[in-house]
Amino acid sequence: MNRYAFKNCIRQSITSLSRNSWLAIITSGLIAISLAILGGFLLVTLNVNQFIQDVESNVEISVFLNEGVNASEVEDRISNLEGVVSNTFVSKEDGLEDFAQTMGDPSLLRDLEGENNPLPDLFRVRISDPEKVDGIARVIEGYPEVEMVDYGEELVARLMQITSRLNSIFLIFGVSIALGAVFLIVNIIRLSVVARQDEVSVMKYMGASNGYIRFPFLLEGMVLGWVGTTVAIIVLGLIYGQVASSLTQDALTLLFQPVTDMSRLLPIFVGLIVAGTLMSGFGSFISIRKYLRV
């Protein structure tokens, strides 16, 4: 296609979009709705995964020491274990103070201070991967200086099951919604092409090449997809910003912190723009083929 034909195709696309403005608006609106649903699902998935990671990162092993042992030796051995991220020593005095603050009235525990303190020294060990917690806990439990370990074995096992199930559910729903969006966008563009099939037939009978006929429709589809996706992103951004702001100011922020890092949100928005534009162009491409066989 030479430069003149290329410019003419662009003019045709602009003229067609202007002439069929209502159809273009409806098409872009439907594309926006489709991609807003997909984008909303992706944002929910991102935040759920973040919540799971936060919960997993807070899984720790409490290592209770026997009376009178050398804590520094145990600390070195624990810190050298593969998968250990941090290892914090909590003396019996600090443990009693923390417990007193939890009770809300430190005076209730004054009789337990000093030699009467029944609490043992302990280490709080954080692990990089929750799946390694059980193995590391068993190794530490075998140390002669260790009285017992506690890491909420049932809770960790349950967490692993929930994580696995959620990943499977989100994968199935994600693929289904993405395929649904592709199907809907392709058919929306197809309806737009069907409404102009007479125009295609006339151009074909006048000797226009398939490429010359197809290109304006391809360009129009991509423009409509880009416009629809842009609208979807603006709406999603405004809604997500309000929801994230409300959650951040709410007491729930202690349990759930919404993702606000643009480096993690931007790939979703950029991906939607690229996907919406390409899917709309693809819809135009496959829809116009039928009417080129004249």
Side-chain angles (χ1 to χ4, degrees):
M1 183 182 297
N2 57 41
R3 182 182 300 179
Y4 173 78
F6 180 77
K7 290 182 178 180
N8 191 43
C9 286
I10 293 178
R11 282 197 297 269
Q12 286 185 39
S13 298
I14 296 174
T15 302
S16 177
L17 288 172
S18 301
R19 186 188 307 136
N20 302 283
S21 57
W22 281 109
L23 180 61
I25 292 173
I26 293 173
T27 302
S28 295
L30 292 174
I31 292 173
I33 293 173
S34 302
L35 290 175
I37 294 173
L38 177 60
F41 175 80
L42 293 176
L43 289 174
V44 170
T45 302
L46 176 66
N47 280 274
V48 170
N49 286 334
Q50 177 63 47
F51 175 71
I52 292 174
Q53 291 175 9
D54 290 342
V55 173
E56 290 179 344
S57 65
N58 287 322
V59 174
E60 65 179 20
I61 303 173
S62 295
V63 181
F64 299 94
L65 303 179
N66 290 316
E67 188 71 27
V69 302
N70 189 337
S72 60
E73 293 182 1
V74 181
E75 182 177 12
D76 291 338
R77 274 187 284 170
I78 293 176
S79 298
N80 290 329
L81 292 175
E82 183 179 357
V84 173
V85 175
S86 65
N87 182 20
T88 305
F89 176 71
V90 180
S91 66
K92 60 170 62 179
E93 292 77 17
D94 292 337
L96 184 63
E97 183 179 347
D98 292 342
F99 184 63
Q101 292 178 355
T102 302
M103 295 289 292
D105 188 359
S107 62
L108 296 175
L109 302 177
R110 285 178 182 172
D111 293 338
L112 299 179
E113 295 178 354
E115 295 181 355
N116 296 324
N117 188 342
L119 299 179
D121 295 331
L122 65 89
F123 287 102
R124 288 176 179 162
V125 183
R126 289 188 180 274
I127 311 300
S128 59
D129 185 356
E131 294 183 357
K132 297 180 179 179
V133 170
D134 184 67
I136 293 176
R138 292 182 184 277
V139 172
I140 297 175
E141 193 173 20
Y143 295 166
E145 300 90 346
V146 174
E147 180 181 356
M148 63 171 291
V149 298
D150 178 40
Y151 61 94
E153 183 176 359
E154 294 183 0
L155 176 61
V156 173
R158 185 63 176 167
L159 178 62
M160 294 298 100
Q161 292 178 357
I162 293 174
T163 301
S164 177
R165 290 176 182 176
L166 282 177
N167 287 334
S168 300
I169 291 173
F170 279 121
L171 177 62
I172 294 172
F173 272 93
V175 172
S176 300
I177 292 176
L179 291 177
V182 172
F183 177 80
L184 183 58
I185 290 174
V186 168
N187 281 279
I188 290 170
I189 297 296
R190 178 174 294 173
L191 290 176
S192 175
V193 174
V194 169
R196 297 165 55 194
Q197 57 181 308
D198 292 339
E199 178 184 338
V200 175
S201 299
V202 170
M203 293 177 66
K204 186 66 177 177
Y205 279 122
M206 292 180 64
S209 66
N210 289 345
Y212 184 82
I213 298 173
R214 182 185 290 119
F215 185 76
F217 284 93
L218 180 63
L219 186 60
E220 289 173 39
M222 295 180 71
V223 169
L224 293 176
W226 181 84
V227 171
T229 307
T230 302
V231 172
I233 289 175
I234 292 174
V235 173
L236 274 177
L238 292 174
I239 294 176
Y240 184 78
Q242 289 294 326
V243 173
S245 177
S246 299
L247 289 175
T248 302
Q249 298 172 3
D250 196 271
L252 287 175
T253 189
L254 297 174
L255 301 174
F256 171 70
Q257 185 67 40
V259 177
T260 56
D261 185 2
M262 284 305 299
S263 64
R264 301 182 63 187
L265 295 174
L266 195 59
I268 292 179
F269 295 138
V270 173
L272 285 175
I273 290 179
V274 174
T277 304
L278 293 181
M279 283 191 293
S280 299
F282 176 72
S284 296
F285 180 81
I286 64 173
S287 299
I288 195 65
R289 288 188 307 171
K290 175 182 178 181
Y291 303 103
L292 293 178
R293 303 190 188 100
V294 180

